[in-house]
Amino acid sequence: DAMVIQNPRYQVTQFGKPVTLSCSQTLNHNVMYWYQQKSSQAPKLLFHYYDKDFNNEADTPDNFQSRRPNTSFCFLDIRSPGLGDAAMYLCATSRDSPGDGYTFGSGTRLTVV
Amino acid sequence: AQTVTQSQPEMSVQEAETVTLSCTYDTSESDYYLFWYKQPPSRQMILVIRQEAYKQQNATENRFSVNFQKAAKSFSLKISDSQLGDAAMYFCAYRRSNQFYFGTGTSLTVIP
């Protein structure tokens, strides 16, 4: 089945130690998104790629970076994780079609120790 | 700016009963799409139902239906014959172009 896969499902990292979360898709969607979701809150958009064009949200900290080497893969890099970065990170994809919803991955739960 | 408001942080419903989750949004656009997403505990967020703003007819998907009031900028979700598996966080979302805007969610409990 076509889907969005996030690895790992759970990630524990040390304070200040760089960490990378990955997302892959078999849907061939041209738009990919990274969201941060803290407990009982709405997902917060960090950035998205429209094909290879990177779009950063104005309030996304510089500590967060992203790479999209090809259509299928997208990575979220947290250069120096702080305790406040502990959250669920959701990857989502969509086509460039206004009526299309997102397809979400299962998320990566990041713990910072 | 587009904002989405869900005024009910928590709701509960008896199994087999009907519940309505409310959502309001703010936009100056006339062409947009609205969605309801379901996020079960520790599970993937999935699309429940969508509504095109230019369509007056309310969307329906099996036990899920919406009451879309464009002038009032209201988009409520009705769940009929509630089942235990409906227990989840529900997010209302607005889409224009490649931007989605989510509400803060409503946690739905289904009481056996």
Side-chain angles (χ1 to χ4, degrees):
Chain A
D1 289 339
M3 57 177 54
V4 180
I5 300 169
Q6 290 188 245
N7 285 306
R9 187 73 188 271
Y10 300 93
Q11 175 74 57
V12 180
T13 191
Q14 289 181 328
F15 183 95
K17 183 175 181 180
V19 64
T20 295
L21 310 182
S22 72
C23 176
S24 64
Q25 56 138 335
T26 60
L27 298 161
N28 205 34
H29 285 172
N30 57 335
V31 194
M32 294 187 77
Y33 306 81
W34 279 105
Y35 279 84
Q36 179 192 65
Q37 186 181 26
K38 296 189 175 179
S39 181
S40 301
Q41 296 183 19
K44 178 182 181 298
L45 181 64
L46 296 174
F47 22 60
H48 74 276
Y49 274 93
Y50 183 101
D51 292 322
K52 291 186 176 182
D53 293 335
F54 177 69
N55 298 271
N56 197 31
E57 292 299 296
D59 58 353
T60 298
D62 292 339
N63 198 27
F64 292 86
Q65 303 287 321
S66 185
R67 296 170 283 136
R68 189 180 186 185
N70 53 53
T71 299
S72 301
F73 287 87
C74 195
F75 300 97
L76 169 62
D77 301 308
I78 308 176
R79 294 193 295 188
S80 182
L83 297 179
D85 297 328
M88 176 73 83
Y89 289 88
L90 300 173
C91 175
T93 72
S94 75
R95 293 185 301 172
D96 181 24
S97 176
D100 276 15
Y102 281 172
T103 301
F104 282 90
S106 298
T108 295
R109 170 77 63 188
L110 179 68
T111 300
V112 182
V113 298
Chain B
Q2 289 81 19
T3 59
V4 179
T5 302
Q6 293 179 249
S7 59
Q8 306 154 315
E10 297 177 346
M11 291 282 285
S12 63
V13 62
Q14 292 279 354
E15 195 174 3
E17 297 295 311
T18 296
V19 65
T20 298
L21 309 183
S22 63
C23 173
T24 59
Y25 59 94
D26 184 28
T27 184
S28 57
E29 304 295 334
S30 59
D31 185 18
Y32 50 87
Y33 291 79
L34 297 163
F35 303 82
W36 277 98
Y37 280 87
K38 170 185 177 181
Q39 188 177 37
S42 301
R43 293 184 61 187
Q44 192 171 3
M45 192 176 300
I46 58 174
L47 177 64
V48 175
I49 197 166
R50 82 187 78 198
Q51 175 76 42
E52 300 169 79
Y54 66 87
K55 286 190 175 179
Q56 292 187 346
Q57 185 174 6
N58 289 324
T60 299
E61 291 284 346
N62 300 314
R63 298 183 294 107
F64 298 87
S65 61
V66 300
N67 183 5
F68 174 51
Q69 303 289 329
K70 190 173 184 179
K73 296 179 183 175
S74 171
F75 180 60
S76 60
L77 174 69
K78 186 171 82 171
I79 306 173
S80 304
D81 186 24
S82 297
Q83 300 175 0
L84 296 178
D86 295 333
M89 184 73 89
Y90 287 81
F91 290 98
C92 176
Y94 165 104
R95 176 174 185 172
R96 187 177 183 278
S97 184
N98 287 323
Q99 289 282 359
F100 270 76
Y101 300 88
F102 287 93
T104 50
T106 297
S107 178
L108 179 66
T109 300
V110 180
I111 303 166

